[in-house]
Amino acid sequence: MRGVERTDGVNNRQIDGMHAVDDTYLGGGPLMKYRTMACCAALMVLSVACGDDQESGSDSSSRTQYQAPADATSDATSEASSNTTAGAEYAPESTAPAAINPVTDAADDALSTFAMDVDTGSYTLTRASLEAGVVPDPANVRTEEFVNSFDQDYDQPEDGPLAVTVDATSAPFLDDDARVVRVGVQGRSLDDEQRRDANLTFVIDISGSMADPNKLEAVRPALRGLVESLRPTDRVSIVVYSDSTRVLLSSTPVSERRTIDDAIDELQPEGSTFVQAGLELGYEQAQLAYDRERINRVILLSDGVANVGATGPEAILEIIGDGARDGIDLVTVGFGLGEYNDSLMEQLADQGDGFYAYVDSEREAVRLFSHDLTGTLQTIAREAKVQVEFNPDTVRTYRLVGFENRQVADDDFRADSVDGGEIGSGHTVTALYEVTLVEGADAGSDAWLARATVRWLHPDTREPSETGALLDAQDVSQRFGDAPPRLQQDILVAAFAERLRGSGWSDLLSLRSLSENVHVLADRLDDPELQELADLVDVRRDLDD
């Protein structure tokens, strides 16, 4: 395996052909947990995304952030500094900075709690941006959505809808006493004949901005691919919006394919963007077709630009929240670059008990609509949350990598009225923690490091259930090369996201080293999606040349 290059010029050691880095972490202030309730985070981000004039800020004194070593002279540091002088084109920066989870002392607070999130839109949007030669806005890079975008190696549940896996390994760019703990949740995969029939209401933005490349022109083949993969007994309706709104297709069984195809052919860009009215009419149609024995879903297809009617978050979130309480979930699918509003689309899906995806090409559109969307239609768990307990006898500190806007107060883990995440058939969720170990807590110890518990509600009865898994110190992979390949993958994927965000691990690993190791792992796994990631790392590096 080609080596991960060290970044500080000292104390270089070899791990399975990969050079470990003994960089230091410089922090300051007390180690305290930064808690953010999901609804408040949604409103704050949407206030920026939708054009509210209120200023927002955060109290950085309550959390300890990672910084580059003061004496770093590595490829990673030089690459980072070159960002300000190179000829790369940068996306306009959001007014909301990329949040960073704190480093927490396990002796002070042993619990970490967050709502599950199956979104993938951030990774696909980043891919589109890089392939267009534009460095993405760090605020639009969400590490968990990068990791969610790749295949995992978790076993199917033996009992119940969800299964939990906890494993860990050293990482070649972290200190000797550091480990990366992975918490993986696997949703049970259902065969198509096992899922319920579906009522799908598409709310489609046909405003003038959707005339741009890879927007409305990608929607048409995507919808045709979806219809092809649905059952004859599923039903589809289409609402379109621009300056005004109208029902293009009332609820129609998929068996009437010609009627649906004719409606898709009518999709043409026009006018401004009245997203509030579009969602109102979409949920109205979904209510008319509602059947508690079927899957009921609204699917918003848009570039997220709201410029007519109520463009602020409160009115839009109220519509979606009411629909979610009625059992109608929302999936948001984003299209296009330029004025694209990533924050709005992501937070709408969170509020609507659904998930967020992004389409950057006709190929991605057909893949998402023909496979991912239909395969995960059946919701198998609602309000799902994860709580990880760290053993203060073995773990000194921990930091959750990603999930910054999905944090939940520890005391609310079993408060089922507090918003969690919805999990569909076959969905996986992966969370990574960087932990530092107490001296002596090594592979020879029989003590435990971490215990992960998942809680969710039955989608029909809303009865709560829990399952979990325990990680013993002796089960931690001491060498990165001995770790499960998909765990290695998740760490490298997260490292790239951290690099793009400028947070956490961003100054510990050079793009050149990252590229080499992702290429090697992609060849080993024979995984074209991972090979694509390696190519994106190369693109990002080339943008600074």
Side-chain angles (χ1 to χ4, degrees):
M1 182 178 291
R2 287 174 283 184
V4 169
E5 295 178 0
R6 53 168 291 86
T7 65
D8 63 0
V10 293
N11 298 331
N12 199 20
R13 61 186 177 83
Q14 189 81 15
I15 299 181
D16 299 330
M18 302 181 72
H19 296 287
V21 181
D22 294 326
D23 279 308
T24 57
Y25 155 64
L26 303 179
L31 297 170
M32 300 176 64
K33 179 165 290 185
Y34 177 67
R35 296 294 187 199
T36 304
M37 297 302 295
C39 257
C40 294
L43 287 172
M44 180 182 71
V45 174
L46 282 170
S47 294
V48 174
C50 298
D52 282 3
D53 293 330
Q54 296 177 351
E55 295 181 356
S56 63
S58 61
D59 181 7
S60 61
S61 65
S62 66
R63 60 183 187 271
T64 304
Q65 296 186 1
Y66 278 70
Q67 302 175 19
D71 61 348
T73 58
S74 64
D75 286 345
T77 306
S78 62
E79 285 176 356
S81 64
S82 72
N83 289 350
T84 60
T85 58
E89 182 181 351
Y90 285 74
E93 289 196 4
S94 168
T95 54
I100 304 172
N101 284 327
V103 175
T104 302
D105 192 322
D108 294 335
D109 184 354
L111 297 176
S112 171
T113 309
F114 60 93
M116 290 174 64
D117 185 357
V118 298
D119 296 350
T120 60
S122 176
Y123 173 71
T124 321
L125 177 60
T126 296
R127 181 177 69 192
S129 181
L130 289 173
E131 289 179 347
V134 178
V135 178
D137 178 0
N140 290 340
V141 177
R142 291 179 291 278
T143 304
E144 69 275 12
E145 296 186 27
F146 274 53
V147 177
N148 278 346
S149 298
F150 292 86
D151 289 340
Q152 300 296 339
D153 54 1
Y154 309 135
D155 293 332
Q156 282 286 312
E158 294 182 3
D159 261 335
L162 303 179
V164 182
T165 298
V166 187
D167 52 10
T169 183
S170 61
F173 53 89
L174 297 178
D175 289 341
D176 288 348
D177 62 349
R179 301 290 184 269
V180 179
V181 175
R182 177 176 67 163
V183 178
V185 180
Q186 175 67 57
R188 181 179 297 282
S189 296
L190 301 177
D191 295 333
D192 185 61
E193 59 269 16
Q194 292 179 283
R195 78 161 173 87
R196 298 177 178 180
D197 286 339
N199 291 337
L200 305 181
T201 302
F202 290 91
V203 178
I204 304 174
D205 181 355
I206 59 168
S207 63
S209 62
M210 289 292 286
D212 296 341
N214 286 327
K215 290 189 178 182
L216 201 56
E217 68 181 26
V219 169
R220 298 186 197 93
L223 288 177
R224 292 190 184 95
L226 174 67
V227 172
E228 183 70 33
S229 63
L230 292 173
R231 299 176 186 158
T233 49
D234 293 327
R235 301 184 71 90
V236 170
S237 57
I238 298 176
V239 169
V240 295
Y241 68 92
S242 54
D243 298 284
S244 59
T245 64
R246 65 181 184 275
V247 178
L248 188 63
L249 179 73
S250 58
S251 184
T252 302
V254 173
S255 58
E256 298 181 20
R257 176 71 182 273
R258 176 67 66 84
T259 302
I260 298 173
D261 284 343
D262 288 346
I264 294 171
D265 288 338
E266 290 184 40
L267 296 172
Q268 297 295 332
E270 58 183 53
S272 301
T273 310
F274 198 174
V275 63
Q276 179 196 6
L279 284 169
E280 284 177 342
L281 184 56
Y283 275 100
E284 208 175 279
Q285 290 298 302
Q287 286 283 7
L288 289 174
Y290 180 82
D291 184 340
R292 63 177 301 170
E293 299 302 321
R294 298 167 70 97
I295 298 165
N296 299 276
R297 190 153 296 173
V298 171
I299 303 172
L300 174 66
L301 285 66
S302 175
D303 58 10
V305 179
N307 54 26
V308 174
T311 61
E314 292 83 2
I316 298 174
L317 285 175
E318 184 176 353
I319 298 167
I320 294 169
D322 289 344
R325 284 187 290 273
D326 291 338
I328 301 171
D329 297 338
L330 174 70
V331 173
T332 61
V333 182
F335 291 81
L337 291 171
E339 293 184 279
Y340 180 71
N341 194 329
D342 168 77
S343 296
L344 176 62
M345 297 295 281
E346 189 251 348
Q347 295 296 341
L348 290 181
D350 286 348
Q351 181 73 7
D353 287 350
F355 66 91
Y356 160 54
Y358 176 83
V359 167
D360 58 351
S361 65
E362 183 176 325
R363 176 178 65 87
E364 175 67 17
V366 173
R367 184 197 66 78
L368 173 68
F369 280 75
S370 300
H371 179 264
D372 290 2
L373 186 58
T374 54
T376 59
L377 274 176
Q378 182 80 51
T379 299
I380 59 175
R382 290 196 176 277
E383 310 301 350
K385 306 185 193 82
V386 178
Q387 186 166 86
V388 182
E389 179 183 4
F390 292 96
N391 183 356
D393 293 334
T394 55
V395 174
R396 184 163 55 86
T397 66
Y398 64 87
R399 177 179 74 97
L400 176 60
V401 181
F403 292 91
E404 283 85 3
N405 65 358
R406 303 293 284 166
Q407 298 289 304
V408 173
D410 296 330
D411 291 344
D412 287 337
F413 177 60
R414 293 185 173 88
D416 296 328
S417 60
V418 173
D419 189 45
E422 275 55 47
I423 308 300
S425 166
H427 270 147
T428 61
V429 178
T430 300
L432 299 177
Y433 286 88
E434 179 187 348
V435 306
T436 57
L437 302 181
V438 172
E439 186 176 356
D442 55 19
S445 172
D446 59 0
W448 62 278
L449 292 184
R451 177 187 291 113
T453 305
V454 175
R455 181 180 177 88
W456 71 93
L457 304 182
H458 188 282
D460 296 326
T461 67
R462 300 189 69 83
E463 285 295 315
S465 297
E466 294 184 6
T467 189
L470 185 74
L471 175 65
D472 289 324
Q474 62 187 359
D475 294 330
V476 175
S477 298
Q478 298 302 302
R479 298 187 302 174
F480 186 79
D482 292 339
R486 293 297 180 183
L487 173 54
Q488 296 180 45
Q489 162 199 282
D490 294 339
I491 293 171
L492 294 173
V493 170
F496 184 45
E498 293 270 272
R499 181 68 188 223
L500 294 172
R501 284 168 55 86
S503 63
W505 299 337
S506 63
D507 295 304
L508 303 182
L509 190 63
S510 71
L511 289 172
R512 180 172 65 182
S513 300
L514 186 60
S515 167
E516 290 174 350
N517 286 277
V518 177
H519 275 294
V520 169
L521 189 59
D523 290 343
R524 178 182 172 188
L525 292 173
D526 191 24
D527 186 338
E529 300 295 329
L530 198 53
Q531 182 62 57
E532 181 180 65
L533 173 71
D535 293 339
L536 289 178
V537 178
D538 292 338
V539 169
R540 176 62 188 92
R541 187 181 175 208
D542 290 345
L543 287 175
D544 288 334
D545 290 345

